[in-house]
Amino acid sequence: MRRLLAALLLAALAVTGLSVPAQAAEPRAFSPFVGGGGVVGPGVTYDKYSVMVDGERVLLRGAEFHYFRLPSPDLWRDVLEKYKAAGFNAVSLYFNWAYHSPKQGVYDFTGVRDVDRLLRLTEELGLYVVARPGPYINAETTGGGFPAWLKRVPGRARSSDAGYTDAYREWLDRINPIIARHQVTRGGRVLLYNVENEYQANTDAQYMQDLQDRARADGITVPITTNVCCDAASWASTWGSGPGAVQIPGVDDYPQSFECQNADSVWGPWGEGVTERVRADAPGFAAEYQAGAIDVNNAGYDRCRELTGPAYMKFFQKNNLIASGATAFSYYMGFGGTNWGWLGQPNDVYTSYDYGAAITEARQLTAKYDEFKRQNYFLRAVQPLTRTDAVPGPAPSNPVLTSAARVNPDTGTQIVLLRHTDRAATTDDSATLDWSTPDGRYAVPVRLIGRDAKLLVAGYDLGGQRLAWSTSEILTHEAIGGRDVAVLYGTAGTRGATVLRYPSRPRVTVLDGRVSASYDRGDLRLDYSHDGLARVLITGGGRRPLLLLLGTDATAATFWRADTPAGPVLVRGTGLVRSAEVRGGTLDLCADTARRSDIEVFGPARPLTVNGLAVAVRATASGSWRGTLPGPAKVTLPALTGWRSHAEAPETRPGFDDSGWRVADAGLASDDYGFHSGSVWYRGRFTATGTETSIDLNAITGRRGNYLVWLNGRYLGSAAGGTQADSDAPQNPDPGPGHFAVPPGVLKPGQPAVVSVVVQNMGNNDDWTADDNRFRQPRGLVRAALGGSDAPITWRIQGALGGEDLPDPVRGPLNTGGLYGERHGWTLPAYPDRSWSRAGSPVPVGVTWLRTSFRLDLPRAQDTSIALRFAAPPPAGQRVTLFLNGWNLGQYGAAIGLQTEFVLPAGLLREHGGNTLALSVIADRAGPVVPARLVITGTHRGGVEVRPVPGR
């Protein structure tokens, strides 16, 4: 995704003189991509307007999803069904090299890493896939997706250097064949293949060409794309069709920046967010369009959701659609998820990767989800949008408003964007549009309140109807039961007008609401207020019947559409509709309800079942069917009691046996010994001279890390770990030593002494600027010396058990660090803790473990999302790592961030059985333990079946 280095990069590009070349006057003919040896599935083609599948134009509506941030494969279905229900027809998927490869030559695609299962799911749900295997992905993950073992591989990363080339080919030769067998050209759903990620900071064309050649050799036959970042000139377009150029370049746009702390005042600081068309012969592709933000300033993700809320979405996303003419959109993110384990990149994120997304980390729907649904339903319904040219918009009579338009050259349909001329305006303004439509010239009254934007349509064949124009926006229209059913909406309290063309005067029956009708020379005009839901039945006039439903933004969001073999259905009143199916004359819906509510179905008359249960329905005057659905059953959660405690850190004692540890004879950096994440212990031995005054150390941990120091068992203190000066500045490998004074009497001349240090590493830097040094910055101790003495120190090091040789491949390489309890199974449910003491308060300096167990029996056929909530921000000096049934689900600490609530995903959480919580507390001062409790973050009747994720 786009990072905060954007401004620096733009300045650098200006200095180098890179620019976007003039586009060709005429596009090239579209290019076919078919399977080797002939077409083995639908052909994928494209022209300057859109991608086509087997000749049918596709308006790609996608959002990013990170399977690696949701380690419960059954919940992948839940999230992707919610994507589909919101009108998305695609999903963008990063594939995380580090997540699959703990060691060079070792790869795992099973369990929570089963991406073949993920791609089969997209096929079942009918979602196109933009596959993004990197090898570099960024995504605020540790190393930007590079496995930590890559640090030891010679050759500059993200270049055509030989060592790196051999390494990334190892990855691509494993992931590409999985992707290849799921391509559209083989009957799957992978439509586009994205090489690299935001690769504009380093322009090694041969590297980019090699990536594409490798993809083709591994069986990739669909068009290849990439995502260009930060409004910078694209090397892909600069070189045209030369080495490294892709078929369909995409662009990243993040107009709202990442200033979540200023959510109430920021409005488009990075521009209007219009996707640049990089090549004239390819469709516009918004490869990453901002749909949330990372919380770099610890404002909280609710503020990030406010920063990128419905008002932002209405203005910027609609403006981009018309101004760019793009026909492929991927929004970052649709669902963020969790940086569980040590998955996160340390400088920008903490445990939660909620991202302020439309679907929360706890998988709950938000007002942003409603706006996505309104826009996606419109884009699906109005098919002329797949092929349009820019034309001048109708002139508003009030200059504070402006318009832009696009027209389909085949149908003449016009799509007009109405917005404020000053994008930051918050006023309430009205005007009249002088609108020449395909059906005549009209004076059209319009009104905009605040930071809104509207997509108005004219000259449109709305099913079997002819829409001359409307000041209401189209949600959807469907042919149901021999008539058209159309839903239009507008801002609550504003007036609306719709003109439909009829060969002769039709009959208008207002079923509900206040709507006036007039007919003049073929134009049927309806005038109304956007208030609640008005219903108008129009019959005769030479066309098939039309049920017109006129509502507000809020009422539009209550509608769901789904396809069945018998035709589409519209449903309102449920919290979600996942799917619809006709079985033996019965319409069966899979739907979620958060409370007892009415359900209304627009579809052919037939019995109704919801989630397999019969629902009594009655006919309405609108020709729909109404019934009542029960809400979810009450959920009662157990209290967390019976905590047991055990002090840790025997490594601090002088007599501790560290003979099985690695000898640190090649420097102190932990990655050199295969210890890449979490806590790493060091023990250094020296013979005291009596002149020692201090222990002088440096450790690089990434942002939010720290280290604690003991000498001969005496605690000396702690220090923050070094990092880059900030997330976008050049690296600082020497952040300044920590000086720890030697207390009197601790050392005796001629006697052996032991320094014990625990370093909390927070993950590896990304390599966003492709400067290599950023990614290769070491972790762990980087300097150790004695103040006042030149006595040599010999060191041993111990990190996660097994290092790169995983004893627990199920949870994988990023789940644990090197604490004694982690190495000895104290995180696991089966560990016998009966001998531990009853937990008390406060916890002492050092490392303390807390454990408790609880049982759940949640209501079945119900989706209840559970979180662990700490009662207050953590005390200063504490760092708590949370393990649920052996899975590391987060870090809670004063130096880490403000997060106090941690999602416990079903599958890892045993919803019907016993669970174990284990907390490791690293404290640099004694302090109380903050109590925690289980809380419900949402519960719905319905959902998906979630099976326990296996784990030892």
Side-chain angles (χ1 to χ4, degrees):
M1 60 146 292
R2 178 154 81 172
R3 302 291 312 286
L4 300 180
L5 195 60
L8 295 177
L9 177 64
L10 287 172
L13 289 172
V15 170
T16 60
L18 290 178
S19 61
V20 179
Q23 294 182 341
E26 293 294 334
R28 295 182 227 169
F30 59 75
S31 304
F33 292 85
V34 297
V39 177
V40 292
V44 181
T45 59
Y46 67 88
D47 60 12
K48 70 175 184 178
Y49 294 113
S50 67
V51 174
M52 291 166 276
V53 176
D54 220 13
E56 182 176 347
R57 293 191 179 276
V58 174
L59 201 158
L60 199 70
R61 311 177 301 277
E64 191 79 21
F65 171 66
H66 294 164
Y67 64 94
F68 45 88
R69 286 189 160 111
L70 184 58
S72 180
D74 285 332
L75 290 182
W76 298 347
R77 173 181 291 276
D78 174 68
V79 172
L80 293 186
E81 285 186 349
K82 287 171 178 171
Y83 276 31
K84 185 176 182 181
F88 289 111
N89 64 355
V91 59
S92 177
L93 300 173
Y94 274 138
F95 296 89
N96 188 336
W97 185 4
Y99 191 67
H100 293 275
S101 181
K103 181 179 181 179
Q104 189 163 14
V106 177
Y107 290 84
D108 184 4
F109 295 99
T110 64
V112 298
R113 294 166 178 79
D114 189 350
V115 293
D116 189 81
R117 173 180 176 176
L118 175 64
L119 291 172
R120 291 198 307 271
L121 176 60
T122 65
E123 292 164 4
E124 180 184 337
L125 298 179
L127 292 171
Y128 288 118
V129 173
V130 179
R132 306 214 287 170
Y136 180 77
I137 63 170
N138 197 66
E140 287 78 56
T141 65
T142 180
F146 281 161
W149 57 257
L150 188 64
K151 286 185 174 184
R152 303 194 303 269
V153 173
R156 178 176 177 169
R158 303 185 77 184
S159 81
S160 52
D161 283 357
Y164 172 68
T165 298
D166 289 343
Y168 81 67
R169 285 181 177 177
E170 179 183 287
W171 159 243
L172 292 183
D173 286 350
R174 286 166 171 81
I175 189 64
N176 279 344
I178 299 175
I179 296 171
R181 62 177 173 261
H182 291 283
Q183 294 174 102
V184 169
T185 48
R186 296 189 184 181
R189 298 296 291 183
V190 175
L191 182 64
L192 298 175
Y193 177 97
N194 191 116
V195 294
E196 250 285 345
N197 180 77
E198 297 171 337
Y199 189 69
Q200 71 291 326
N202 182 17
T203 56
D204 185 337
Q206 188 57 52
Y207 167 52
M208 288 295 288
Q209 189 59 50
D210 286 346
L211 291 176
Q212 296 177 67
D213 292 344
R214 203 70 184 178
R216 297 299 187 209
D218 287 336
I220 299 300
T221 58
V222 295
I224 293 180
T225 184
T226 193
N227 54 316
V228 179
C229 174
C230 311
D231 306 317
S234 165
W235 58 267
S237 64
T238 301
W239 289 328
S241 59
V246 299
Q247 286 78 54
I248 304 177
V251 177
D252 291 6
D253 296 287
Y254 287 78
Q256 270 300 66
S257 74
F258 301 99
E259 298 178 41
C260 301
Q261 76 281 8
N262 297 321
D264 54 352
S265 59
V266 167
W267 190 254
W270 288 354
E272 298 205 355
V274 176
T275 298
E276 174 190 0
R277 183 179 291 272
V278 180
R279 287 176 58 164
D281 62 336
F285 178 22
E288 283 188 28
Y289 202 92
Q290 185 172 20
I294 49 176
D295 184 22
V296 292
N297 295 302
N298 290 334
Y301 279 115
D302 284 343
R303 293 286 278 165
C304 297
R305 207 174 332 273
E306 183 181 347
L307 177 76
T308 56
Y312 155 79
M313 297 168 69
K314 288 180 180 182
F315 184 92
F316 286 92
Q317 291 174 194
K318 293 176 182 179
N319 185 51
N320 182 45
L321 173 71
I322 298 303
S324 71
T327 54
F329 303 89
S330 182
Y331 292 95
Y332 194 103
M333 302 283 299
F335 164 82
T338 304
N339 290 310
W340 67 279
W342 300 101
L343 180 66
Q345 186 260 28
N347 297 314
D348 294 325
V349 293
Y350 41 87
T351 295
S352 177
Y353 197 73
D354 177 281
Y355 209 79
I359 304 173
T360 70
E361 182 183 7
R363 298 179 293 105
Q364 306 304 299
L365 308 185
T366 69
K368 290 179 62 172
Y369 183 92
D370 292 343
E371 180 58 24
F372 264 132
K373 184 168 67 166
R374 286 187 288 263
Q375 293 189 29
N376 283 336
Y377 279 25
F378 169 78
L379 296 177
R380 184 207 63 83
V382 183
Q383 288 296 303
L385 277 165
T386 58
R387 187 173 187 266
T388 63
D389 297 308
V391 295
S397 60
N398 187 343
V400 302
L401 300 183
T402 189
S403 72
R406 302 194 72 85
V407 63
N408 183 290
D410 300 323
T411 66
T413 300
Q414 299 174 8
I415 302 94
V416 170
L417 171 75
L418 180 69
R419 48 162 283 194
H420 274 97
T421 305
D422 175 5
R423 73 164 182 260
T426 59
T427 51
D428 182 345
D429 297 289
S430 299
T432 300
L433 298 181
D434 182 4
W435 196 348
S436 292
T437 78
D439 298 297
R441 187 172 181 176
Y442 298 88
V444 177
V446 293
R447 179 184 175 192
L448 275 184
I449 302 175
R451 291 171 175 171
D452 199 356
K454 296 185 181 298
L455 291 172
L456 309 180
V457 179
Y460 177 54
D461 291 330
L462 189 149
Q465 317 300 318
R466 180 65 177 179
L467 176 67
W469 58 267
S470 179
T471 60
S472 298
E473 297 186 87
I474 297 172
L475 178 74
T476 190
H477 58 88
E478 312 293 340
I480 299 175
R483 64 179 183 172
D484 291 314
V485 179
V487 184
L488 278 61
Y489 68 96
T491 304
T494 63
R495 298 291 300 171
T498 296
V499 173
L500 297 158
R501 296 284 294 169
Y502 284 90
S504 58
R505 181 186 294 270
R507 180 183 178 186
V508 178
T509 304
V510 178
L511 304 173
D512 200 0
R514 295 182 178 180
V515 180
S516 63
S518 61
Y519 182 79
D520 181 28
R521 290 173 293 183
D523 284 351
L524 172 67
R525 176 166 173 156
L526 305 174
D527 288 280
Y528 45 89
S529 176
H530 296 111
D531 182 15
L533 184 65
R535 302 170 187 242
V536 182
L537 179 63
I538 305 171
T539 56
R543 299 188 184 278
R544 68 188 183 196
L546 167 65
L547 176 66
L548 192 59
L549 305 171
L550 304 166
T552 64
D553 287 21
T555 52
T558 65
F559 283 88
W560 306 90
R561 71 165 308 279
D563 291 308
T564 77
V569 295
L570 285 178
V571 181
R572 66 183 300 258
T574 61
L576 179 74
V577 171
R578 297 176 182 272
S579 64
E581 187 174 353
V582 175
R583 298 177 180 174
T586 296
L587 174 63
D588 184 45
L589 300 178
C590 288
D592 295 3
T593 54
R595 62 191 62 83
R596 180 180 174 85
S597 59
D598 288 342
I599 182 174
E600 182 175 14
V601 178
F602 296 84
R606 53 172 52 92
L608 174 68
T609 61
V610 177
N611 302 329
L613 300 177
V615 177
V617 295
R618 62 189 184 280
T620 73
S622 301
S624 60
W625 301 87
R626 278 186 174 170
T628 302
L629 296 180
K634 183 179 180 180
V635 178
T636 302
L637 298 179
L640 297 179
T641 59
W643 287 95
R644 294 182 177 272
S645 174
H646 197 292
E648 204 223 71
E651 299 91 342
T652 65
R653 302 172 194 148
F656 176 77
D657 182 8
D658 59 17
S659 60
W661 289 18
R662 295 285 304 275
V663 176
D665 54 5
L668 294 174
S670 61
D671 288 304
D672 291 337
Y673 303 96
F675 303 130
H676 303 306
S677 58
S679 298
V680 176
W681 275 100
Y682 293 84
R683 282 172 56 86
R685 287 183 170 83
F686 64 95
T687 300
T689 65
T691 62
E692 291 83 6
T693 59
S694 64
I695 308 297
D696 299 337
L697 303 173
N698 263 3
I700 297 182
T701 62
R703 185 183 176 195
R704 302 182 175 94
N706 76 337
Y707 58 104
L708 282 65
V709 184
W710 291 260
L711 176 62
N712 282 348
R714 175 81 69 90
Y715 177 64
L716 300 186
S718 69
T723 181
Q724 298 160 206
D726 60 50
S727 63
D728 295 308
Q731 70 160 14
N732 178 8
D734 186 4
H739 296 280
F740 301 92
V742 174
V746 173
L747 297 178
K748 296 180 180 181
Q751 295 297 309
V754 178
V755 180
S756 301
V757 184
V758 61
V759 180
Q760 182 99 331
N761 296 324
M762 303 302 290
N764 285 306
N765 296 339
D766 58 42
D767 193 26
W768 190 74
T769 56
D771 65 5
D772 207 46
N773 289 331
R774 178 187 180 103
F775 161 65
R776 294 182 190 274
Q777 186 184 65
R779 288 293 181 263
L781 287 181
V782 294
R783 178 179 178 272
L786 299 172
S789 171
D790 58 2
I793 308 176
T794 59
W795 290 93
R796 289 181 180 269
I797 183 173
Q798 175 65 58
L801 184 65
E804 293 177 351
D805 298 309
L806 303 182
D808 183 6
V810 172
R811 297 178 179 88
L814 301 173
N815 191 62
T816 59
L819 294 179
Y820 185 90
E822 291 176 294
R823 304 196 311 269
H824 289 79
W826 295 5
T827 67
L828 300 175
Y831 182 80
D833 60 9
R834 299 300 298 173
S835 63
W836 288 20
S837 302
R838 290 289 182 182
S841 186
V843 293
V845 169
V847 184
T848 303
W849 283 82
L850 303 167
R851 282 173 57 96
T852 191
S853 296
F854 61 92
R855 296 190 65 83
L856 292 176
D857 189 15
L858 300 179
R860 297 183 184 273
Q862 187 163 313
D863 181 1
T864 302
S865 179
I866 306 294
L868 182 73
R869 180 182 295 166
F870 290 90
Q878 284 189 19
R879 313 173 70 83
V880 180
T881 302
L882 156 69
F883 293 87
L884 171 68
N885 297 327
W887 297 83
N888 177 346
L889 293 184
Q891 286 79 48
Y892 161 77
I896 295 172
L898 51 72
Q899 184 174 356
T900 59
E901 188 169 292
F902 296 83
V903 172
L904 308 179
L908 306 188
L909 180 72
R910 303 296 192 259
E911 297 181 294
H912 308 283
N915 295 273
T916 298
L917 283 171
L919 308 179
S920 69
V921 185
I922 301 177
D924 62 21
R925 69 201 77 172
V929 176
V930 175
R933 63 188 178 95
L934 300 176
V935 296
I936 299 169
T937 57
T939 187
H940 298 78
R941 184 179 291 272
V944 301
E945 180 184 2
V946 181
R947 294 157 292 187
V949 177
R952 67 187 181 94

